[in-house]
Amino acid sequence: MVCRTTDEYRAMAQAGCLAVGEPAFWAGYDRSSADGFRDYFVQLTECEPARAAKFGMDHYTWLCINPKEAQDVAFARDVMKLIPEFIDRPNVLGIGEIGLNRNTSHEMTIFEEHLDLAVRLNQLVLIHTPHLEDKLKGTVMILSALKNRPDLDPCRVLVDHCEEHTFPLVKEAGYWAGLTLYPTSKLNPKRAADILELYGMDRVWANSAADWGDSDPLALTALACELRRRGFSRQETERLLLENPETFMGQSPKFRKGSPCEFRPGRGRGYGPLDPVLEKDGEDGAQDDRRVIQKAPHADSVKQEFVGSQDVGAGGGQKAYIPFVEKTRFSFSAFEIPEQAQ
């Protein structure tokens, strides 16, 4: 969310978003020093959790030097030396998004060293696969490297940005497969639904891109409605958008699982390790945002007001919610899905 606006945080809260997951990624430009990454890791572990908390959302992150900036091996290693300093922060779930960009030998070297770090620190792994013409070759290279790592549990590895020609390769290898949604380019909601119809939902992570390019933090609402339109049940949709990400991220002790009933009006919230209290600094009592990383109440009243204004419902006077994961890479959200999607 470092590249998204406050208005987008507000829109996500009003749509019922409960948590954001944001892996370290390219900022739209190459950073010139390891100190720039130190500041970036502070932003991911202190500033963004505070910004999300203002709208009642928890913020999770993953740390690495992304593959686009990993071509300079010496520089990448300097950045990686910073990760142990931040890995125990309360919102850090693992190492990511690591992987390949142009499928070079230098990128592969840093990818494998990230894997070493994840094993040594006992962290979950989130992997970036290349886009466009480099995707198939890069995915095969990544899977080959992973095959040589018996010390890495496949259940703790998610290979993201899968498409029609790479999704079955990742699933057959035993890893989690990520489907990253964009509004028009790359993988859109209809193509993602096609993949799910063919291969099912086992070990699948669906997420919406929300990076510096053309992307939409709430794209998963379109996927949910597309699945319902095609006849997927509410339970199947909930499995994809709630239970699957809970299962994967729940392998980290810093991620606390919830259940749909906990998000109904009047029931309170049950998500996230961050329960912060805003600390005050200075004689004027001004709040120091960077310290708000432990205890912020969820904006249940905002979500209840928003949901209460909608016309769709689950029937019988009950409000039903489907929390889901997005990318901002990744956010949990709760929103209503009509029984018969239009």
Side-chain angles (χ1 to χ4, degrees), residues 238-253:
E238 186 172 305
R239 177 190 176 193
L240 174 71
L241 303 179
L242 170 64
E243 295 173 11
N244 282 5
E246 277 190 336
T247 299
F248 181 73
M249 291 191 289
Q251 296 176 94
S252 168

Side-chain angles (χ1 to χ4, degrees), residues 200-204 233-247 322-323:
M201 297 179 176
D202 184 41
R203 298 194 322 277
V204 180
S233 68
R234 180 182 295 273
Q235 291 72 27
E236 290 172 316
T237 307
E238 186 172 305
R239 177 190 176 193
L240 174 71
L241 303 179
L242 170 64
E243 295 173 11
N244 282 5
E246 277 190 336
T247 299
I322 302 289

Side-chain angles (χ1 to χ4, degrees), residues 72-90:
D72 184 334
V73 172
F75 175 71
R77 286 171 176 164
D78 285 342
V79 174
M80 291 176 63
K81 290 176 183 176
L82 301 174
I83 294 176
E85 176 185 340
F86 293 89
I87 201 69
D88 290 330
R89 296 288 178 95

Side-chain angles (χ1 to χ4, degrees), residues 8 13 17 28 31 65 75-76 85-86 117 120 135-136 180 187 192 223 245 253-254 258 267 275 286 299 307 317 326:
E8 287 173 303
C17 185
R31 281 154 281 213
I65 177 169
F75 175 71
E85 176 185 340
F86 293 89
L117 184 63
R120 178 163 60 87
K135 180 170 292 294
L136 179 58
T180 304
L187 193 66
L223 175 59
K254 299 176 187 176
R267 295 293 295 274
D275 257 307
V307 173
E326 289 184 13

Side-chain angles (χ1 to χ4, degrees), residues 115 140-152 173 175:
L115 295 178
V140 171
M141 290 173 63
I142 287 169
L143 293 176
S144 296
L146 291 172
K147 187 176 180 179
N148 294 324
R149 300 301 303 249
D151 54 347
L152 200 60
Y175 301 98

Side-chain angles (χ1 to χ4, degrees), residues 1 25 34 70 230 239 262 285 301 312:
M1 292 297 289
F25 73 115
R230 296 187 185 201
R239 177 190 176 193
E262 291 179 280
S301 60
V312 296

